[in-house]
Every structure is written in structure tokens, then in C-alpha cells.
Amino acid sequence: MTALAAAAMVALSACGAAGTSDTAPSPTQTLPAGVTVEVVQLRADVAPRQAQVHVTNASDDALAIADVRLEDARFDGPATRVVAGRTSTIPAGRSVDVRVQLPPVDCSAAGEGQPDVVLEIISASESAEVTAPAADPLGFLAPLHERECRAERLADAAALAFTGFRESAPGEPATLELTVTPTGEADATITAVQTTNLLDFGADTVDGAYPLDLAVTSGGTESALVALPLVPFRCDPHAVQEDKRGTIFDVRVVVEGEPGEIELFVGDELRGRILSWVAAWCGFGD
């Protein structure tokens, strides 16, 4: 057993002496010396609502970790490994990113909080759980909680979804359909749909968005279909090949008198059609 793993096993041995099962992970409070954790959300993680637990091993020994959990009061449960049952070995002086699936937000919790990471550190047949506060260097957790709780409140007034896409010839705008369906319980205003790093609204773009000012009132029942004119913001092949957020639109809304934004993804099927249309519109491969 390495010195690093041995340090992590101290609490496990103590609990074993007290009669605890040898196979049950034992919680400890500190990471081994030289090991740090942080949580980040990269562009590719946004649409599937995932994040990365970034573990850095600056010690002199390799580190093996099994179960990885992100715990935060702003969620209604822990975020767990996307690939369950996997073990990651981190050589000395290296780091690893473990992708976790974020659970739904808990809107009864405050917007500011402290994320904790729980690592199951393993050696031979033994394991120990280590809990440590995690940094959020990109500051994504508080805004995500705010946006998704706003979307939850918006759902009391209306359901928003991109429901159709009509391709166009090069030089002409395509049409992206946004359907707004009242849910009958509250009032809200859909103010505008913002451009993305890949798509905008051509001549109809005003201050980086397509203005709507669509009011939804409680008791309403009739859906509204908005036809958004769409053109590529840029004709760079890499923009399509490496797209991560080009089909995720920020929608400006007013809910309960408070302005803000929610994120709305077109969905995988429409995303594929839109990216193919951009490639044809821009003449990639001609």
C-alpha cells in the first residue's frame, strides 16, 4: 500500500477495530496531502446537465478512486458518476476529470452554497470515503440554480419548447419554431430569444436578441407559435464541428415581476438538422 493510500485508510482501520464491516466505506474528513478537488461545467456538459469533478493528485503516489459524488444543498440529491462502477487511477502529479450527472435543483435552498465532493479511495480490498469542500472556479453552480429555479417558476405560467425547423437555401433565413403553451396558473412575459455563438436572427436581431414581448396570462389556454428567422452567425467549419452551445438559446423572461433568463435547448434531433443546414448554407465541402 502506498503512503497516500495508507493515510486515507487510517479511519477505515479504526472503524474496523470497532466492529464495522471491512468492506463498508468509512467516512473521513480530509483529503490525502497533495490531493485537491474542484467542480466545473464545460460547454459540452451544459445540454446533458452534467459537470466534471476535477481531481488533482500532487502527491508522490498514485491514487485510485471509485465512487465519486458531488453533494450540494442546492440539488435535491447527490450528483453521481455518469459511468457507474468505474475506478479511476490518477498517477502522481496528474489529474483526472470525472463526469457526474446533476440531479434536479432544490429551489427551497439558497442560491449560494458550498459544494462537497465525496471520493471513495481504494487500495486492495479496502476503501474509505473522503469528504472535502470543492472549489467552483467557473462559478457555474449559483447561476445554474438561479436559471433552473426561474424555469421552474415559469412552468407555472407556460411551457416553452422548440418544436420545428424549416431549412432554407443559402443566403435566405431558415425558420426555427418556438411554441409557448400557457399552463394557466400564473402570469409571465417571454421578452426575447438571444442569439448564440453559432446562430442569430439576421436583420431581425436587436441588441443580440429577437424581441418578442409575448405575454402569458393565468387562465390562458391557446398556444402561441413563434417563427424565428435563423441565419448562421459565422461560416467557420470548426464552429460546426466543435459546436457545444450553438443550439442552446438564452430566453429572456419576466416571472413574478422579476426579469431574468432561462436556457432552452433545441433537442438532439433539431440540433442535428440545424448543424447540417449550417454546413449546407455555408457551402462546406463545395
Side-chain angles (χ1 to χ4, degrees):
M1 182 186 300
T2 66
L4 178 63
M9 295 302 122
V10 171
L12 179 68
S13 299
C15 290
T20 303
S21 169
D22 290 340
T23 59
S26 171
T28 66
Q29 295 302 314
T30 59
L31 290 169
V35 178
T36 58
V37 293
E38 60 185 21
V39 57
V40 297
Q41 188 179 59
L42 308 179
R43 289 184 299 171
D45 300 322
V46 175
R49 287 193 78 260
Q50 295 172 356
Q52 311 269 347
V53 174
H54 184 75
V55 185
T56 299
N57 179 15
S59 74
D60 296 328
D61 302 300
L63 177 69
I65 55 175
D67 187 33
V68 176
R69 301 194 305 277
L70 172 66
E71 298 182 344
D72 190 308
R74 292 168 291 190
F75 294 100
D76 72 358
T80 57
R81 271 187 183 268
V82 171
V83 182
R86 188 171 184 176
T87 297
S88 301
T89 300
I90 315 171
R94 303 290 295 275
S95 61
V96 70
D97 292 313
V98 178
R99 182 173 281 109
V100 294
Q101 186 66 53
L102 299 175
V105 291
D106 180 354
C107 295
S108 66
E112 298 295 331
Q114 171 58 58
D116 291 321
V117 167
V118 181
L119 302 179
E120 182 186 358
I121 299 178
I122 61 174
S123 177
S125 61
E126 299 176 311
S127 64
E129 284 193 347
V130 178
T131 301
D136 177 12
L138 301 181
F140 82 93
L141 284 169
L144 181 148
H145 182 267
E146 180 184 8
R147 283 194 310 271
E148 294 197 354
C149 289
R150 181 179 298 113
E152 200 171 284
R153 296 195 303 273
L154 176 64
D156 290 335
L160 276 64
F162 291 113
T163 52
F165 176 70
R166 295 194 299 275
E167 294 84 352
S168 65
E172 298 295 326
T175 301
L176 178 63
E177 295 178 350
L178 171 66
T179 298
V180 180
T181 304
T183 55
E185 298 181 16
D187 297 340
T189 302
I190 316 304
T191 305
V193 180
Q194 294 184 189
T195 62
T196 74
N197 63 313
L198 180 65
L199 304 164
D200 71 14
F201 310 107
D204 293 305
T205 303
V206 179
D207 294 330
Y210 185 87
L212 289 177
D213 290 325
L214 176 62
V216 181
T217 58
S218 59
T221 59
E222 188 172 346
S223 296
L225 180 64
V226 180
L228 302 171
L230 216 59
V231 297
F233 178 71
R234 54 192 291 192
C235 277
D236 176 355
H238 294 292
V240 174
Q241 295 167 0
E242 301 174 7
D243 172 69
K244 301 295 189 299
R245 287 189 53 90
T247 54
I248 301 174
F249 291 84
D250 287 335
V251 181
R252 300 174 188 170
V253 299
V254 178
V255 183
E256 298 174 352
E258 296 182 1
E261 298 174 1
I262 65 167
E263 288 184 342
L264 195 61
F265 178 43
V266 300
D268 291 329
E269 191 270 333
L270 288 185
R271 176 179 182 270
R273 290 175 56 192
I274 290 171
L275 295 183
S276 296
W277 162 76
V278 171
W281 200 94
C282 292
F284 299 161
D286 289 353

